[in-house]
Amino acid sequence: MKMNNTRASASLKEMIHVAHVDKFYGDFQALSDVDLSVNQGERIVICGPSGSGKSTLIRCLNGLEFHDAGEIIVDGISVEEDSKHLKTLRQEVGMVFQQFNLFPHLTILENLTIGPMKVRKIAKAEAEKRARLYLERVHIPEQADKYPAQLSGGQQQRVAIARSLCMETRIMLFDEPTSALDPEMINEVLDVMVELADTGITMVCVTHEMGFARKVADRIVFMEAGRIMETATPDKFFTNPDSERLKLFLGQILDH
């Protein structure tokens, strides 16, 4: 990971700025005084036990959830519930979920072209050209005319990644993209994500896949009970963690 320091350097644009963020669901505090800064081209992996706030944080980054206190700025846009810029933000930030969320009645090609045509106002021929390009990128160009139900779970998740790429976003968010997949399909999705990381896109990924984190991340963020407990490079994260809680977490997750 020779490029880490270059990508993370202060000269690069800060793409994601999170400061003193709190999030409540009734009396339950899901996020507590969270701070996070992600520079252009950085690859951040967020991990932690279930209920630690990982998915809540990543959903707050593009306004699928709204924080109650603090500040979130993504690509220069303040993420606020009443912001008139939310539509623009969601066009610029791609999101890949645990579930694939493909339109079952549309072909794969149609799933990939509907966003660019309706949102970006791109002509059909150009949208289809772009869609086929990104299906090549995720290694399933031959699936273009099939329907989602005809594909495996791993192939559907790769379509979901391609769909976000078709919007040509500068930031990609992943919320446990392999958790709904059968074990034999996980690697095919992770391999695509590794290749995507090498293109220089800014990436924030919630995952328990520690091999992926070690290979791809510039920094790994460990969360528990709604707080960021530790942030470190992969080498330090895995070989010399600061907290006993992270040591325990790694001991549990790496044994499986």
Side-chain angles (χ1 to χ4, degrees):
M1 302 296 292
K2 302 286 187 186
M3 294 176 61
N4 288 5
N5 292 334
T6 302
R7 272 197 304 268
S9 69
S11 62
L12 292 178
K13 178 183 177 182
E14 185 182 49
M15 298 295 283
I16 298 172
H17 173 78
V18 179
H20 305 299
V21 163
D22 295 338
K23 169 67 179 175
F24 290 88
Y25 296 103
D27 293 332
F28 174 70
Q29 187 162 7
L31 297 175
S32 179
D33 197 27
V34 171
D35 294 318
L36 180 66
S37 178
V38 182
N39 282 344
Q40 186 174 1
E42 262 198 298
R43 290 125 35 153
I44 305 298
V45 167
I46 303 175
C47 64
S50 296
S52 59
K54 311 181 299 293
S55 291
T56 300
L57 174 57
I58 206 167
R59 290 170 67 85
C60 284
L61 295 182
N62 69 344
L64 290 175
E65 304 272 1
F66 294 102
H67 55 292
D68 296 304
E71 179 180 61
I72 298 177
I73 299 174
V74 177
D75 200 11
I77 298 172
S78 181
V79 185
E80 298 172 356
E81 194 161 4
D82 56 354
S83 172
K84 62 180 182 292
H85 301 298
L86 274 180
K87 184 178 178 181
T88 301
L89 174 72
R90 289 170 180 158
Q91 292 174 15
E92 300 303 325
V93 180
M95 183 93 176
V96 178
F97 300 89
Q98 298 177 35
Q99 303 299 328
F100 321 125
N101 297 333
L102 301 176
F103 294 113
H105 62 291
L106 300 180
T107 67
I108 300 308
L109 190 66
E110 289 167 341
N111 266 280
L112 267 59
T113 57
I114 189 170
M117 289 168 62
K118 286 186 173 295
V119 177
R120 302 284 198 198
K121 308 302 181 186
I122 292 173
K124 182 178 180 181
E126 177 59 28
E128 289 188 353
K129 179 181 177 182
R130 183 184 293 183
R132 293 185 187 280
L133 172 71
Y134 286 117
L135 285 174
E136 288 272 4
R137 171 79 62 83
V138 300
H139 308 299
I140 46 171
E142 72 283 356
Q143 308 296 345
D145 297 321
K146 293 184 180 179
Y147 289 87
Q150 296 175 281
L151 274 59
S152 70
Q155 289 172 327
Q156 289 186 62
Q157 191 61 293
R158 284 190 274 166
V159 171
I161 293 171
R163 177 181 56 188
S164 285
L165 292 173
C166 281
M167 294 296 287
E168 301 209 324
T169 57
R170 298 201 293 167
I171 300 170
M172 286 281 283
L173 309 177
F174 295 86
D175 186 8
E176 301 199 30
T178 60
S179 66
L181 300 177
D182 293 333
E184 65 269 21
M185 297 177 184
I186 289 174
N187 281 339
E188 67 182 62
V189 172
L190 292 177
D191 287 345
V192 166
M193 291 173 63
V194 169
E195 291 180 23
L196 178 60
D198 287 337
T199 67
I201 197 167
T202 304
M203 178 185 290
V204 181
C205 181
V206 171
T207 184
H208 285 116
E209 299 294 337
M210 292 295 99
F212 171 81
R214 191 190 294 265
K215 186 173 187 177
V216 166
D218 294 306
R219 288 182 290 142
I220 305 175
V221 175
F222 175 64
M223 293 188 69
E224 185 181 47
R227 294 180 178 272
I228 291 179
M229 307 297 291
E230 196 161 336
T231 302
T233 63
D235 184 55
K236 185 177 188 309
F237 189 88
F238 288 107
T239 63
N240 189 29
D242 290 332
S243 67
E244 289 300 320
R245 182 63 189 90
L246 177 52
K247 291 175 186 176
L248 177 63
F249 174 78
L250 289 173
Q252 291 171 333
I253 200 166
L254 295 177
D255 285 342
H256 288 78

